[in-house]
Amino acid sequence: MASVVVANAALGGAFERVFSLLYETIKDVINKTRMYESILQRLKDTLDLMRPLVKNMLLSNRERDLPEEPTKRLIERMEKGEKRVWKYSKLPWWKYLVRFHYANKLLELEKDLGRFFKVDLSAWNAMNTLESMKGVKDLSERLSLTRLNSVASCAVPRFREFVIGLDVPLKELKMQLLKVEVSMLVLTAPGGCGKTTLAKMLGDDKEIKGIFKENIFFVPVSKTPNLKVIIQKLLGKDDPAFQSDEDAIDQLEQMLLAKLNKPILLILDDVWSGSESLLEKFAFGLPNYKILVTSRTAFPRFNFTYKLKPLNDDDAMEVFRHSAGLQDGSSSYIPDEEVVKKIVKGCGGFPLALKVVGKSLCGQSAAIWLLREKKLSDGHSILDTDIDSDLLECFQSSLEFKGNEMILRECFMDLGSFPEDQKIPVGALIDMWSELYELVEDGLHVIANLHEINTRNLADLVVTRQDASLVGSYCSEDFVLQHDLLRELAIHQCSLEPVEQRKRLIIDISGNNIPKWWMEQRLQPINAQLLSISTDETFSSSWCNLLPAKVEVLVLNFQTKNYRLPGFVEKMDKLKALIVTNYGFFPAELGNIQLLESLPNLKRIRLQKVSIPSIFKTPPPLRNLEKISLFMCNLGQNFRNCSIEISNAWSNLKEIIIDYCNDLLEFPTWLCYIVSLKKLSITNCHKLFALPIEIRELTSLEVLSLRSCTNLSELPESVTSLQNLRILDISDCLSISKLPKHIGELRNLNEIHMTGCLRLRNPLPPSTMDLEKLKRVVCDGERAKLWEPIQEFCMDGTRIEIRIAEKDINLNWLANRL
């Protein structure tokens, strides 16, 4: 008996020594470095719990002849652990792979301690006191509590709602996520499209669960994310006591390192715009670690995006019928199919809108159904029907911008100025926003805003050509598409104020049904800076009076064969931009053009699909006119024979755009005498066959674009007199076979576009060597070979960039004409 006591005493001393050494080592490392504080702190907490338990075990061993092997094994493991702590505590932070190894070794030590109490002490547990048993149980629970809490708090939420139309998106999303090169994937769409539902479906997918098993974490982020709270949920801790966000990230990284050999999927739901830096904090670059982000913003900083589209007509109909109780017979009234189609169309394929509207009609009488259908037919939006405030709030929350971003909200609202289901030309937006918000600099700010609006899924920006290096050169063919429901949101937001006080006034007229407020108005001035009036094919051009004293931009959309500018235009003293668009099939006659004479501040005119001979027969004196755009217009004989006196009437004109004007046969000589002109773009005019020698008079010209003038056979030698020319674009001029002999005299030419000049095969003129400031040539592969002899040469010693334009098979240009 005495020998047993002595042996146990020696064992206890050894334990005390090794335990104290390990404990003090961990404590010292925690104080000196925070690199692995989370793991070390967990080890320290485990040792704190172990101390009284092992002491009780040793006291019991002195009184009972128990096996000493469990205690010896524990001592060996603690000695090994103490060496590991010291060895790896000296590692620099940047030795990333060694950090993996270090974290794994420390976690192995913690597992060893856990196994000791669960297995090696099982015999001792059976004979020990209830108090000690409780301590062992507490320790075992603590060792597994973190994982259990994390799984419980971050499990993929169950969804019980009816889902249709997401099977294909789920398959596509899954395929993209599982690609080796994809570590973070952004699932993006407007609010109410079903992003969260799709993310839940992914987390519950059999194949995904087979790959990631229990390591699928789903965390809502929300508008004002708290990084510590998010990580607290992931770690499953009630009181993590993070010292900082960096400390929280460090602890999360350690948890992920513990699962290094297991695939991990982190789903961050409802991430708001401006959260790029937050997302980057979760991107640890670990193998088998993937992040799925759901957001209304596409976050272009990240490479991989999946854009969820609204439901197609069939799926939308099924979702609505289910929500309205039309499939299970729970509805007391079965409406006509046409009524249902009208209501479903008003929801625009948005699952949230379909469900909310459907539930609001479920079980309702015929009168309620027919009233809802009538309101939609009268031009009301589902957002105006007070169905459910949550639906409106969902869409309105997409318009919450901060600080300098507020201009994006204004630009989004302006998109409602154009008819539904129609392409919005980027050129028209440049004219509008350049004047409303003073966004100049060749439209660069406008394009930047459009990209941001596109990123936030408030509209779709469609770029028709991919070979453009200068934004302003090709925007005439680019356009914007806006979903009907988002357009209705813009109009709804505009209508929240009284008519007279609105900043933008958007009027849709069906037939000759002038809005009641307009007919009753007694010459009270309106406050709008932007006025948009859309009429249909039955409108008779019978206008009521209006006092638009503050209007700076006027947008007129129509469909009739004959259209007269409203008489109140002459009262628009502050008008700066006029945008007139015919959405009918054929060019329309435009009357009352003489009213423009009374607009002293008019700077921009954009006309689309109209016949405009009168404006050039007797040009109105517009001294401040800076830009005129003619798109798909019938120009007529008056345009070709316009008097040279127009140079005096439009003495400040800086830019002319003529696009898809098929009756333009000859380049008008009078254009050559507008010496103030800096940009001239005549594109897609396929019957234009020659330029006059007088083009040399355009001494201020900086940009000359003749793209896709397929019948133009050559550039006159006089073009070399344009000493200020910086950009020359002859792309897709199929008939041009040579460049001017003395093209080298264009000393300031910086950029040439010549993609698709199929007949241009002969060597370039020797004077090309004299293009001192030429920096870039955009062309196809065959034309690039012509530049090889001089690619290495430039007067200032720099190389000329030869950019090979990708083959751009794009029929959007054709859609523009339909």
Side-chain angles (χ1 to χ4, degrees):
M1 181 68 181
S3 60
V4 173
V5 173
V6 171
N8 284 343
L11 189 62
F15 168 78
E16 288 286 355
R17 176 179 56 79
V18 175
F19 183 91
S20 298
L21 184 60
L22 175 61
Y23 186 86
E24 292 301 324
T25 299
I26 292 174
K27 193 174 162 186
D28 186 52
V29 171
I30 288 175
N31 291 333
K32 290 182 178 179
T33 177
R34 296 180 51 228
M35 188 189 310
Y36 298 102
E37 179 179 334
S38 59
I39 290 179
L40 295 176
Q41 188 63 50
R42 285 167 57 181
L43 283 172
K44 180 178 177 294
D45 293 344
T46 301
L47 295 178
D48 285 336
L49 286 171
M50 284 179 59
R51 185 191 292 268
L53 294 175
V54 178
K55 281 186 177 181
N56 287 339
M57 180 193 72
L58 293 175
L59 288 175
S60 299
N61 279 354
R62 291 192 182 102
E63 299 172 1
R64 300 180 179 88
D65 187 9
L66 294 176
E68 300 175 2
E69 289 305 313
T71 308
K72 289 182 178 179
R73 280 196 293 270
L74 178 59
I75 289 174
E76 291 174 0
R77 289 165 184 167
M78 288 192 296
E79 287 177 336
K80 188 182 295 184
E82 186 271 337
K83 292 177 182 178
R84 287 173 179 168
V85 172
W86 269 123
K87 181 177 180 181
Y88 294 106
S89 66
K90 305 297 184 183
L91 288 173
W93 66 269
W94 44 267
K95 289 195 174 182
Y96 206 72
L97 293 177
V98 182
R99 290 177 67 190
F100 286 167
H101 179 71
Y102 181 26
N104 283 330
K105 292 298 183 182
L106 293 177
L107 288 165
E108 285 176 13
L109 176 58
E110 185 182 32
K111 290 177 182 177
D112 286 345
L113 295 171
R115 282 195 295 268
F116 174 81
F117 277 91
K118 288 180 179 179
V119 180
D120 291 343
L121 294 185
S122 58
W124 177 77
N125 286 344
M127 303 178 61
N128 214 335
T129 63
L130 290 176
E131 180 180 358
S132 294
M133 286 291 291
K134 181 178 182 300
V136 173
K137 183 179 179 182
D138 290 344
L139 177 60
S140 298
E141 289 178 350
R142 194 203 68 79
L143 291 173
S144 60
L145 188 59
T146 296
R147 178 184 172 275
L148 292 175
N149 284 348
S150 177
V151 171
S153 61
C154 297
V156 178
R158 295 182 61 188
F159 61 96
R160 299 179 177 85
E161 64 263 29
F162 178 76
V163 177
I164 193 73
L166 293 183
D167 290 342
V168 172
L170 175 61
K171 182 179 179 180
E172 295 173 345
L173 181 69
K174 185 166 56 175
M175 289 178 59
Q176 190 166 351
L177 180 70
L178 295 180
K179 291 179 179 178
V180 175
E181 65 271 20
V182 177
S183 58
M184 179 183 292
L185 177 61
V186 179
L187 167 58
T188 184
C193 262
K195 299 182 296 297
T196 298
T197 299
L198 182 57
K200 291 177 182 178
M201 291 176 66
L202 180 82
D204 194 52
D205 180 77
K206 183 177 180 180
E207 181 182 358
I208 291 295
K209 290 196 291 187
I211 296 172
F212 296 97
K213 297 182 171 53
E214 73 277 7
N215 295 319
I216 302 176
F217 303 96
F218 187 102
V219 183
V221 176
S222 76
K223 181 180 177 181
T224 54
N226 186 315
L227 182 64
K228 295 177 183 177
V229 171
I230 294 173
I231 295 180
Q232 177 183 341
K233 291 179 180 179
L234 287 169
L235 296 179
K237 293 186 176 183
D238 294 330
D239 184 17
F242 299 129
Q243 298 182 17
S244 63
D245 286 352
E246 289 73 18
D247 181 33
I249 288 294
D250 287 344
Q251 294 200 34
L252 175 61
E253 185 177 12
Q254 302 318 309
M255 185 197 80
L256 298 176
L257 287 169
K259 302 173 180 290
L260 187 60
N261 297 321
K262 300 177 182 179
I264 301 169
L265 174 59
L266 173 60
I267 301 175
L268 299 175
D269 184 47
D270 194 23
V271 179
W272 284 62
S273 176
S275 299
E276 289 90 341
S277 59
L278 174 74
L279 295 178
E280 288 174 340
K281 287 181 169 61
F282 288 95
F284 297 110
L286 304 177
N288 300 317
Y289 170 54
K290 293 181 179 290
I291 303 174
L292 176 68
V293 176
T294 74
S295 178
R296 300 180 188 187
T297 301
F299 297 121
R301 184 184 303 180
F302 305 108
N303 295 329
F304 302 101
T305 301
Y306 181 84
K307 190 165 186 177
L308 179 62
K309 299 177 181 178
L311 299 178
N312 61 39
D313 293 343
D314 292 338
D315 291 336
M317 177 66 76
E318 189 170 351
V319 171
F320 176 80
R321 294 182 68 87
H322 175 85
S323 301
L326 300 180
Q327 291 179 326
D328 57 9
S330 61
S331 178
S332 59
Y333 170 72
I334 304 300
D336 293 338
E337 192 68 14
E338 290 305 314
V339 173
V340 176
K341 288 182 178 179
K342 174 74 73 173
I343 296 174
V344 169
K345 184 178 186 299
C347 296
F350 282 64
L352 177 63
L354 291 162
K355 293 174 183 178
V356 170
V357 175
K359 289 178 181 178
S360 72
L361 290 170
C362 184
Q364 295 291 345
S365 65
I368 298 297
W369 278 87
L370 294 175
L371 179 62
R372 183 67 52 77
E373 188 267 342
K374 184 178 185 304
K375 286 186 175 181
L376 292 175
S377 298
D378 291 343
H380 290 276
S381 165
I382 63 168
L383 302 176
D384 299 327
T385 55
D386 296 326
I387 297 170
D388 190 326
S389 60
D390 290 343
L391 177 62
L392 181 57
E393 289 175 4
C394 172
F395 287 104
Q396 286 178 329
S397 62
S398 299
L399 304 182
E400 296 180 5
F401 298 94
K402 301 176 182 178
N404 294 333
E405 294 180 339
M406 288 302 296
I407 191 174
L408 297 176
R409 185 179 188 276
E410 299 299 319
C411 290
F412 165 78
M413 305 270 277
D414 294 338
L415 295 179
S417 304
F418 299 88
E420 65 179 5
D421 300 324
Q422 297 291 346
K423 298 176 177 65
I424 305 173
V426 169
L429 297 176
I430 288 178
D431 291 338
M432 175 188 292
W433 293 340
S434 294
E435 299 307 327
L436 286 177
Y437 312 118
E438 298 182 356
L439 300 179
V440 289
E441 298 185 22
D442 293 326
L444 292 175
H445 281 107
V446 173
I447 301 300
N449 286 348
L450 283 174
H451 277 289
E452 185 62 27
I453 290 172
N454 178 76
T455 294
R456 296 184 183 228
N457 288 294
L458 294 173
D460 293 321
L461 173 61
V462 180
V463 178
T464 58
R465 294 183 66 95
Q466 302 299 327
D467 62 342
S469 59
L470 287 177
V471 177
S473 299
Y474 296 111
C475 63
S476 62
E477 293 183 7
D478 298 345
F479 58 88
V480 173
L481 295 173
Q482 187 173 41
H483 194 282
D484 291 349
L485 202 53
L486 292 174
R487 178 180 183 269
E488 291 173 7
L489 174 62
I491 295 174
H492 174 84
Q493 295 300 108
C494 293
S495 65
L496 296 179
E497 294 180 314
V499 171
E500 295 82 5
Q501 299 177 18
R502 295 176 190 173
K503 183 176 181 180
R504 59 184 62 76
L505 184 56
I506 301 174
I507 306 172
D508 288 340
I509 300 176
S510 177
N512 290 301
N513 299 317
I514 305 294
K516 185 178 179 180
W517 65 263
W518 193 354
M519 298 180 67
E520 294 177 348
Q521 190 188 49
R522 303 188 182 281
L523 298 181
Q524 182 176 354
I526 60 174
N527 193 51
Q529 292 177 281
L530 168 61
L531 175 61
S532 169
I533 305 176
S534 299
T535 56
D536 61 16
E537 66 277 3
T538 63
F539 183 64
S540 64
S541 291
S542 298
W543 299 100
C544 293
N545 208 348
L546 196 66
L547 288 180
K550 296 184 179 181
V551 172
E552 297 182 9
V553 175
L554 175 62
V555 179
L556 298 173
N557 308 304
F558 68 95
Q559 301 179 40
T560 52
K561 294 181 180 179
N562 295 285
Y563 187 82
R564 295 172 61 84
L565 296 179
F568 53 77
V569 166
E570 63 181 350
K571 302 174 184 177
M572 296 181 174
D573 294 339
K574 294 186 178 181
L575 188 66
K576 297 178 181 178
L578 173 64
I579 301 171
V580 180
T581 305
N582 170 24
Y583 289 97
F585 286 105
F586 303 103
E589 296 293 331
L590 183 63
N592 266 2
I593 202 75
Q594 72 279 0
L595 296 178
L596 301 183
E597 296 181 11
S598 57
L599 305 177
N601 293 301
L602 187 61
K603 297 168 65 176
R604 296 168 182 261
I605 298 176
R606 177 184 172 85
L607 306 176
Q608 178 170 329
K609 208 181 293 186
V610 298
S611 296
I612 48 171
S614 59
I615 192 173
F616 295 104
K617 183 177 182 180
T618 307
L622 299 171
R623 304 296 182 187
N624 288 312
L625 186 65
E626 296 181 0
K627 177 182 177 182
I628 184 167
S629 303
L630 307 175
F631 184 70
M632 298 173 63
C633 292
N634 280 351
L635 301 179
Q637 191 69 26
N638 288 328
F639 179 78
R640 293 189 290 273
N641 300 328
C642 186
S643 169
I644 197 173
E645 294 301 320
I646 197 172
S647 60
N648 295 323
W650 297 353
S651 57
N652 200 38
L653 191 63
K654 294 181 174 61
E655 182 174 1
I656 295 179
I657 296 177
I658 303 174
D659 199 17
Y660 287 110
C661 295
N662 289 330
D663 64 338
L664 180 62
L665 305 178
E666 303 176 40
F667 189 96
T669 303
W670 63 266
L671 276 176
C672 301
Y673 292 95
I674 303 180
V675 294
S676 58
L677 206 62
K678 292 186 176 182
K679 295 182 181 179
L680 175 60
S681 176
I682 302 180
T683 56
N684 299 295
C685 296
H686 301 297
K687 295 182 180 180
L688 177 68
F689 62 87
L691 302 180
I693 191 173
E694 288 85 356
I695 196 172
R696 64 190 175 193
E697 303 297 331
L698 296 175
T699 55
S700 298
L701 198 66
E702 298 178 3
V703 177
L704 175 60
S705 178
L706 301 165
R707 178 169 38 84
S708 295
C709 291
T710 54
N711 204 35
L712 183 64
S713 58
E714 66 176 359
L715 297 177
E717 194 65 34
S718 61
V719 79
T720 61
S721 299
L722 305 178
Q723 292 298 302
N724 286 306
L725 194 67
R726 296 184 296 106
I727 302 167
L728 174 63
D729 184 1
I730 56 172
S731 299
D732 297 319
C733 288
L734 305 180
S735 300
I736 291 181
S737 59
K738 62 180 181 179
L739 294 180
K741 180 179 180 180
H742 298 290
I743 192 172
E745 295 181 8
L746 296 174
R747 304 297 185 185
N748 286 301
L749 191 64
N750 182 263
E751 186 168 334
I752 298 179
H753 292 252
M754 51 191 304
T755 303
C757 295
L758 301 183
R759 293 191 62 190
L760 190 59
R761 298 172 182 171
N762 296 323
L764 300 176
S767 69
T768 307
M769 296 286 190
D770 299 329
L771 293 172
E772 300 176 358
K773 296 186 178 180
L774 186 64
K775 302 297 182 184
R776 182 181 297 111
V777 176
V778 181
C779 60
D780 52 57
E782 187 173 351
R783 256 44 62 186
K785 295 177 182 179
L786 302 179
W787 289 91
E788 288 179 356
I790 59 174
Q791 184 178 4
E792 300 285 344
F793 178 82
C794 196
M795 291 298 292
D796 59 2
T798 60
R799 288 171 56 90
I800 299 174
E801 176 192 357
I802 308 298
R803 181 180 300 180
I804 307 297
E806 298 180 4
K807 290 184 179 180
D808 193 16
I809 303 175
N810 194 325
L811 296 181
N812 281 318
W813 64 271
L814 179 60
N816 281 341
R817 305 195 63 193
L818 300 179

